[in-house]
Amino acid sequence: MKDIKSSKKRNLWFERFMAIAATVNLGLVLFNLSYVPWRDFYLRKLPQVIQIYDPIKGIEPHRDTKNYLDTIDALEEQVRQTGLESSQVNSRLIQISRLSSEMIDSNPFAGANKSGTLEKIKKRMRSHIGNESAKQSFATFWSQPYLSQNGWVKEINFFNESIRPLIATNYYRQIGENGDFVDNFWTLDLPFVMLFGVELLGRTLFIKRRHPGLSWFEAVLWRWYDLFLILPFWRWLRILPVLVRLDRAHLLNLHPVRKQIHQGIVANFAEELTEVVVVRVINQIQGSIQRGELTQWLSQQENLRPYIDINNVNEVEAIASLLVKTIVYHVLPDIQPAIVAILHHNIETVFHQVPIYRNLQNLPGVGQAQTQLSEQLATQITTNLYKTLVSAVEDPVGAKLTSQLVQRFSEALGSEIKEKHVLSEIQSLLFDFLEEIKINYVQRLSQEDIDQIIEQTRQLRTQASVPSVVKKSTALPEIREG
């Protein structure tokens, strides 16, 4: 017992380790998928991430925008050395104004799908200068008269706070020989793929050994969801095996989620399934009537399809016999006092309706004698009737006569029903009746509140799972005669 518990504990720790490893891998996959869309955020808040992960995605600074910002850095250094009014600064300003015009014309942001960023830069500069032309706004901004009049420090701070961060977000992404962007995420993913591949191989060998009848392909499909952990594409689908592993490792309880998913699936299909099943059954009955199988059954001829008997017992007769014995030996003795009371009441009612009896009521002792007489009559009638029923059940001759009566009744009924006009009318009425059921009731079944039915079913399963205090036997109760 201790060895079993120890083995289960080791297995649980192994499952948890692999579940955590799969979760970490999924986190890297999701980070890799979101890196490019969120790169601007990382650039502003976590620039260290940019330095580490840009090479993995094949991202490098764009040559044109980097040169533009480097030229502005050189301008700031030149202003610190020679002042704003120097010829060297004027030369730098002319160069930056030309680069600004080229940036607007060539749109170096298009390669990174960031043309919207260039539009935002142009809009901010037009708004700051008050000119409708972006090129003229940049030319005005990068001029000595404008910077001298409005203050160098103020204007360069505006650029560094409002324009430079937008330009800095631009980048160039390398393209591989296959025509796609370079993505070296596989270097991070490969150790995990190897780990999960070895694990899947080991689990497949274990499954194959426990179930020799399975093929290798079937053994692999036993844990088909783990295949997503080793596929180099559609990596986002790894969320499925991760959730399964976390649930099996008892690190995450997905039972409520599974229940809601199952309920949603059942709710989506229940309405259509109800209609299909009920209509199909009714159609089969109608088809049976149209094919004349009802006529053959009533005439006790051989059916189109032979009836299969699996136990050589007429279940209808057996059930009828069981019900008769239960009523005679158990039900009637329990309700006999009530039957006696009803008979007693009826006998007294009859006595009261007789004129002679009403006149005798005035004589002493007659009323008490009448009560005793009615009780005796009621008891005697009930007892004799019960004995007659018991005798009919236990007497072989009586049982045989009863069987003959039932058989004769069936034959007489069948012969009358076999009359062409009667049978034709019965078939027509049955067919129309079934058609009305489809029209009037099947639609109600489909329109019934499926969610309410599912909730009732769930409550029944919950109640059934609660251990019962009293164990009920599944065998039929023994019928004791006498």
Side-chain angles (χ1 to χ4, degrees):
M1 184 63 69
K2 291 183 178 181
D3 293 339
I4 295 176
K5 289 183 178 180
S6 178
S7 176
K8 288 183 177 180
K9 188 175 182 180
R10 287 196 302 270
N11 291 337
L12 180 60
W13 280 110
F14 175 76
E15 293 290 346
R16 288 182 174 178
F17 171 78
M18 296 304 298
I20 293 174
T23 304
V24 172
N25 178 245
L26 178 62
L28 288 175
V29 168
L30 297 179
F31 173 78
N32 180 69
L33 293 175
S34 65
Y35 178 75
V36 173
W38 286 16
R39 184 179 180 275
D40 293 352
F41 170 79
Y42 298 134
L43 181 64
R44 294 192 304 269
K45 303 298 183 180
L46 299 169
Q48 298 83 358
V49 175
I50 298 295
Q51 298 174 4
I52 297 173
Y53 212 77
D54 268 3
I56 295 176
K57 302 296 288 186
I59 293 176
E60 58 188 36
H62 195 283
R63 181 169 48 193
D64 294 341
T65 51
K66 183 177 184 300
N67 180 50
Y68 186 86
L69 295 178
D70 290 343
T71 303
I72 294 175
D73 290 339
L75 171 65
E76 292 186 68
E77 181 63 26
Q78 190 67 49
V79 170
R80 281 194 294 268
Q81 292 179 1
T82 61
L84 181 62
E85 301 296 333
S86 65
S87 60
Q88 295 89 340
V89 169
N90 186 54
S91 177
R92 293 283 186 185
L93 290 173
I94 294 174
Q95 181 184 8
I96 295 174
S97 180
R98 177 178 56 81
L99 292 176
S100 299
S101 180
E102 291 178 357
M103 180 176 67
I104 294 174
D105 290 335
S106 63
N107 187 13
F109 296 85
N113 196 24
K114 298 177 72 68
S115 296
T117 302
L118 177 60
E119 294 300 321
K120 189 181 295 184
I121 293 171
K122 291 159 59 177
K123 180 179 179 181
R124 289 185 180 182
M125 185 58 73
R126 288 196 302 263
S127 176
H128 183 70
I129 299 300
N131 194 313
E132 294 297 327
S133 172
K135 289 184 179 181
Q136 293 179 5
S137 297
F138 271 100
T140 301
F141 184 84
W142 297 117
S143 63
Q144 280 184 330
Y146 177 82
L147 294 175
S148 299
Q149 181 178 357
N150 293 277
W152 161 256
V153 176
K154 173 186 174 184
E155 296 302 317
I156 198 63
N157 285 339
F158 160 77
F159 179 85
N160 289 333
E161 293 175 1
S162 300
I163 306 299
R164 178 187 286 270
L166 296 177
I167 298 176
T169 61
N170 191 36
Y171 59 85
Y172 171 76
R173 191 171 181 185
Q174 301 173 15
I175 299 178
E177 296 179 356
N178 58 357
D180 296 330
F181 289 119
V182 172
D183 191 348
N184 295 319
F185 176 72
W186 64 270
T187 58
L188 297 178
D189 194 43
L190 183 60
F192 291 97
V193 171
M194 294 176 62
L195 173 64
F196 299 132
V198 171
E199 182 208 15
L200 181 60
L201 177 61
R203 290 184 184 274
T204 303
L205 293 173
F206 179 74
I207 293 171
K208 178 65 176 175
R209 187 176 63 181
R210 291 190 60 183
H211 305 278
L214 295 178
S215 65
W216 286 104
F217 181 72
E218 292 172 336
V220 172
L221 290 183
W222 192 285
R223 290 178 65 93
W224 58 271
Y225 48 84
D226 283 342
L227 292 174
F228 294 120
L229 293 172
I230 60 177
L231 294 179
F233 48 86
W234 298 340
R235 293 188 178 101
W236 58 271
L237 288 175
R238 296 181 185 181
I239 189 172
L240 177 62
V242 167
L243 291 177
V244 173
R245 286 170 175 264
L246 290 175
D247 183 54
R248 292 187 174 181
H250 301 163
L251 296 176
L252 186 66
N253 183 16
L254 295 180
H255 177 71
V257 178
R258 290 199 305 269
K259 185 179 70 174
Q260 289 299 120
I261 293 175
H262 294 165
Q263 182 171 336
I265 294 175
V266 172
N268 288 334
F269 288 100
E271 180 176 336
E272 291 80 2
L273 188 61
T274 301
E275 289 187 359
V276 170
V277 171
V278 177
V279 172
R280 182 174 176 83
V281 171
I282 294 177
N283 287 340
Q284 289 179 346
I285 297 175
Q286 289 178 320
S288 178
I289 294 174
Q290 289 179 329
R291 290 190 298 270
E293 295 178 6
L294 177 62
T295 305
Q296 294 185 4
W297 178 77
L298 290 173
S299 60
Q300 298 184 354
Q301 296 178 0
E302 185 178 358
N303 293 333
L304 291 176
R305 184 175 298 176
Y307 184 79
I308 300 174
D309 193 351
I310 61 175
N311 56 5
N312 295 323
V313 175
N314 189 327
E315 286 80 5
V316 176
E317 292 183 1
I319 293 173
S321 177
L322 182 62
L323 290 176
V324 169
K325 290 181 179 180
T326 302
I327 293 173
V328 170
Y329 294 118
H330 295 283
V331 177
L332 289 180
D334 290 340
I335 66 174
Q336 186 173 356
I339 296 175
V340 171
I342 293 174
L343 289 176
H344 179 222
H345 171 72
N346 290 328
I347 292 172
E348 283 191 343
T349 302
V350 172
F351 280 157
H352 282 292
Q353 292 176 353
V354 178
I356 298 176
Y357 172 76
R358 287 199 299 268
N359 295 328
L360 294 175
Q361 280 287 95
N362 298 323
L363 299 177
V366 173
Q368 183 178 0
Q370 179 272 329
T371 301
Q372 294 176 355
L373 178 61
S374 61
E375 289 180 355
Q376 291 177 1
L377 285 174
T379 304
Q380 190 66 32
I381 292 172
T382 305
T383 303
N384 291 337
L385 179 60
Y386 180 72
K387 289 181 179 180
T388 302
L389 292 175
V390 173
S391 299
V393 172
E394 296 179 348
D395 184 13
V397 178
K400 183 178 180 180
L401 292 174
T402 303
S403 177
Q404 292 177 354
L405 175 61
V406 173
Q407 183 178 1
R408 179 56 187 158
F409 174 79
S410 300
E411 291 175 355
L413 179 62
S415 63
E416 292 297 326
I417 291 179
K418 282 191 298 181
E419 294 295 330
K420 187 174 182 179
H421 69 281
V422 177
L423 184 58
S424 176
E425 187 174 356
I426 290 176
Q427 289 178 337
S428 177
L429 290 173
L430 281 176
F431 190 89
D432 293 341
F433 174 68
L434 293 173
E435 194 67 26
E436 291 175 359
I437 289 179
K438 285 195 296 186
I439 296 174
N440 293 284
Y441 296 103
V442 175
Q443 186 177 6
R444 295 183 186 177
L445 288 174
S446 63
Q447 292 176 348
E448 194 167 354
D449 190 354
I450 299 299
D451 292 334
Q452 184 177 0
I453 295 176
I454 294 175
E455 180 63 22
Q456 292 174 356
T457 305
R458 186 189 64 80
Q459 292 178 358
L460 289 176
R461 288 200 303 266
T462 303
Q463 294 173 0
S465 63
V466 177
S468 179
V469 178
V470 181
K471 299 182 73 175
K472 297 183 178 180
S473 174
T474 58
L476 291 174
E478 181 182 359
I479 303 298
R480 293 181 297 178
E481 301 181 4

